[in-house]
Amino acid sequence: MIMEALKLKEEKKDMGFLERYFKLSKYKTDVKTEVIAGFTTFITMSYALLVIPNILKFSGMNAAGLKGDAAAQLTILNDTVVASIFAGTCIVAAIGTLIMSLYANLPFAVAPGIGLTAFFTYGVTLTLGYSWKQGLAAVMISGILFILITVTSIREKIVDSLPKNIKIAITSGIGLFIALIGLKSGGIIISNPGTLVSLGDFTKPNVILTLIGIVVMGILIARRVKGAMLISILITTVIGIPMGVTNVTGVKFLSAPPSFIPTFMKMDFQGLLSHGGSGIVGGLTNIFMIVLTFSLVDLFDTIGTLVGTAQKANMIEKDGRVRNMKKALLADAVATTLSALFGGTTTATYVESTSGIAEGGRTGLTTFVVGILFILSIFLGGVVGVVPSEATAPALVIVGILMMESIKEIDFSDFTEALPAFFTIAIMPFSYSIANGIAAGIIFYPVMKVATGKHKDVHPIVYILAILFVLRFILLPQ
C-alpha cells in the first residue's frame, strides 16, 4: 500500500512537471492525448527512415562509391555507408524533433526532407557532378545561413518578397519531380533514346511490385488509414519475398545500432569551391545555386507546413502569426546544420505532423514522444535493411501527388502569373532539376510583369534573384 501510494505520488509529480513545462491546460490537451498523437505522427512519417537511405545511396553514398542504378542492390544490411545513413537519419530526426519539442513547444516533427534528399542525389551529385561530401558541405552552409537569417528575421522577409503563385508552383513542381523519380526508381518509367522516356516492362517482377505498392498505398490513403505509407511499404516488402524482389537474407528484428562514423563530419568544403575547375567565380555561382535551392525549398516547405497546419489547429496568435514560429524556424535551421554533420540532407518540418495534430496533439509533448521513438528506431536497422527500392518508390509517387494538390491555388487566369508558374513546375521534371525550375520561374516573372506595365507587382529582391539566375546560366550553362 505504501509503495503504491508513493508510486501514485511520483506519477502525479511527473504529470505536474509535464503540465508546467508544456502548458497542457493552456492549450486544452492532456498527457494521454499528446502521447497518442506522438505515436500517430511517428507511424505516419516513419516511412522517411526507409526512403531516405534508399535515395541517398544513389548519390555515391555507399562503400563502393557507386552512383545511379549501379547502387540499386545496396541496403542497410550489406553496405556500411548506407547503414550509416540510416543511423544518421534516426539521430538527426530525433534531435531536430526534440529541439522543436523542448524549445518551440510545438507538435511538429522534423527530419531530412524527401524532396530535398532527392534534389541532393539527382540534382547536386548526379546532374551537377558534385561528390556527396561536397554536397554535405553545401547543406552545412545552408544550415548556417538558415540560422543567421532566422535570428535576424531575414528568412520571413525573403519569403514575403516572392510571388504567391511562384511559391505554390515550387511545391507543385517538386511534387511532379519526386513522382518522376519514384516512377523511374520502380522501373515504371525508363529512358528511351527516341522519345526521351517510355513505359517500362510490366512483366518484370520489380515493376509489378512497384505497381502493387502504388495501388495499396493509394487505397489506404484514400480510406484515410493512419500510417498508410508505412503500412503499405511493409505490405509491399512482404509481397516482394515470393516474387524474388525482397531479399530477407540476414534479417534481424532487433540489432545493434549501425555506426554513423562512415558519414560523420565528411563535408568537403575545399572540393565544393574548386569543383569542375570553373574558377572561384564559377564555383561560388554554382554553390549559390545549390544553397539557394536548399534554402528556398526548405523555406516554403517549413513555413507552408507551419502556417497551413496551425490554421487548422487553432495555433494562430492574436497578431496573426503562428505560435512560436521563429523558434520553430530556428529549430529547423539548427537541425539542418546537425544533419550535415551526420551525413544527412536539409531537414524539413513534416506535413505528416498533421496526423498527430488531428489526434489532438497541441504541444511539444507530442513531438517529445516522436523524438524518443526515432531514437528507438536505430535498433531496427536489421529489419529496415530488407526493404527494397520497389517498396519505397510508391511513397515518392504518393508524396508527389500530395504535393501537387496546391496547384489548384495558382491563378492561371492572369497570364503574367500563369507563365512563370508553369515554367517553374514544368522545368523541374523536364530538366531533372529543382534549381532550374525555380530559376525559370523567378526569371520569367519580372519579364512578364515589366512587359505588361505591372512592374510594381515585383519586389526588388525578385529582380536581384532574377539577375543572379541569368548570370548563372550565362557563366555555367551546364
Side-chain angles (χ1 to χ4, degrees):
M1 289 292 292
I2 296 176
M3 291 299 293
E4 289 180 1
L6 289 173
K7 184 178 180 181
L8 182 62
K9 183 178 180 181
E10 191 65 28
E11 288 178 354
K12 289 183 177 179
K13 183 179 179 181
D14 291 340
M15 296 280 279
F17 170 76
L18 294 175
E19 163 65 37
R20 291 192 303 274
Y21 192 89
F22 293 108
K23 302 177 182 177
L24 303 180
S25 297
K26 178 180 178 181
Y27 299 118
K28 300 178 181 180
T29 184
D30 54 55
V31 174
K32 180 181 178 181
T33 300
E34 295 288 302
V35 170
I36 293 174
F39 272 91
T40 303
T41 294
F42 174 78
I43 290 171
T44 306
M45 68 175 286
S46 56
Y47 72 93
L49 300 179
L50 312 177
V51 176
I52 289 171
N54 266 331
I55 297 176
L56 286 180
K57 70 183 182 184
F58 294 115
S59 71
M61 291 185 74
N62 53 74
L66 301 175
K67 283 190 174 185
D69 293 339
Q73 301 304 314
L74 302 179
T75 69
I76 295 170
L77 296 178
N78 61 25
D79 191 283
T80 55
V81 177
V82 179
S84 178
I85 297 171
F86 170 74
T89 301
C90 292
I91 293 170
V92 170
I95 295 175
T97 301
L98 289 174
I99 293 174
M100 185 71 79
S101 165
L102 301 174
Y103 176 62
N105 192 23
L106 287 170
F108 299 105
V110 176
I114 300 294
L116 291 162
T117 301
F119 169 66
F120 180 96
T121 294
Y122 297 96
V124 177
T125 63
L126 296 183
T127 301
L128 294 177
Y130 286 88
S131 71
W132 62 270
K133 294 180 180 180
Q134 294 165 355
L136 292 180
V139 174
M140 172 64 78
I141 293 171
S142 67
I144 295 172
L145 179 63
F146 288 167
I147 293 174
L148 292 176
I149 64 177
T150 301
V151 171
T152 57
S153 298
I154 296 175
R155 195 171 185 177
E156 294 98 319
K157 292 178 182 177
I158 293 175
V159 173
D160 292 340
S161 73
L162 294 171
K164 177 185 176 182
N165 286 331
I166 294 294
K167 296 177 187 177
I168 298 170
I170 289 173
T171 300
S172 301
I174 292 171
L176 203 57
F177 180 61
I178 291 174
L180 175 61
I181 292 172
L183 293 171
K184 179 179 178 294
S185 178
I188 295 175
I189 296 295
I190 59 174
S191 61
N192 185 311
T195 59
L196 295 182
V197 294
S198 62
L199 288 175
D201 185 349
F202 287 84
T203 63
K204 290 184 176 180
N206 67 309
V207 178
I208 295 172
L209 185 61
T210 302
L211 288 171
I212 291 172
I214 292 174
V215 171
V216 172
M217 192 174 293
I219 291 173
L220 292 179
I221 288 179
R223 295 183 66 86
R224 301 183 184 279
V225 175
K226 291 175 182 176
M229 288 191 179
L230 178 62
I231 294 171
S232 173
I233 289 173
L234 296 177
I235 291 174
T236 307
T237 299
V238 172
I239 294 174
I241 296 174
M243 295 176 67
V245 179
T246 303
N247 184 358
V248 294
T249 304
V251 62
K252 297 178 182 178
F253 181 70
L254 288 176
S255 58
S259 171
F260 58 81
I261 300 301
T263 56
F264 184 66
M265 291 284 287
K266 298 299 183 181
M267 300 84 68
D268 180 8
F269 292 97
Q270 184 176 352
L272 180 65
L273 285 170
S274 60
H275 173 77
S278 54
I280 190 69
V281 175
L284 290 174
T285 304
N286 238 356
I287 293 170
F288 170 79
M289 282 294 300
I290 294 170
V291 172
L292 182 65
T293 301
F294 280 135
S295 303
L296 290 177
V297 175
D298 186 52
L299 277 171
F300 305 143
D301 186 63
T302 300
I303 291 179
T305 299
L306 289 173
V307 173
T309 306
Q311 291 281 0
K312 297 179 181 179
N314 297 318
M315 288 189 284
I316 302 296
E317 303 287 5
K318 293 180 180 179
D319 60 0
R321 301 182 72 86
V322 178
R323 187 182 92 213
N324 295 337
M325 183 171 184
K326 191 169 183 178
K327 288 185 176 181
L329 292 174
L330 188 57
D332 178 58
V334 171
T336 290
T337 307
L338 291 172
S339 185
L341 289 175
F342 283 94
T345 55
T346 306
T347 59
T349 301
Y350 268 61
V351 71
E352 285 81 4
S353 301
T354 55
S355 63
I357 291 171
E359 288 294 323
R362 293 294 181 271
T363 74
L365 182 54
T366 292
T367 36
F368 183 82
V369 173
V370 178
I372 297 301
L373 291 173
F374 274 130
I375 293 174
L376 296 177
S377 297
I378 202 170
F379 296 95
L380 299 176
V383 176
V384 174
V386 304
V387 178
S389 299
E390 291 78 8
T392 55
L396 295 177
V397 177
I398 297 300
V399 168
I401 294 171
L402 294 174
M403 292 182 75
M404 283 294 293
E405 180 185 3
S406 61
I407 198 172
K408 63 186 179 184
E409 299 175 24
I410 297 176
D411 180 13
F412 282 105
S413 63
D414 181 349
F415 203 70
T416 64
E417 298 282 345
L419 188 143
F422 168 79
F423 275 104
T424 300
I425 296 170
I427 294 297
M428 287 187 190
F430 290 161
S431 71
Y432 224 65
S433 169
I434 294 173
N436 287 345
I438 294 173
I442 290 178
I443 290 171
F444 275 113
Y445 190 81
V447 170
M448 294 299 294
K449 292 297 183 181
V450 171
T452 54
K454 299 179 180 179
H455 61 277
K456 292 183 179 179
D457 292 350
V458 185
H459 194 284
I461 292 178
V462 176
Y463 285 114
I464 295 172
L465 291 174
I467 292 171
L468 290 173
F469 281 132
V470 169
L471 289 174
R472 180 262 176 182
F473 287 119
I474 293 174
L475 296 173
L476 295 167
Q478 299 302 318

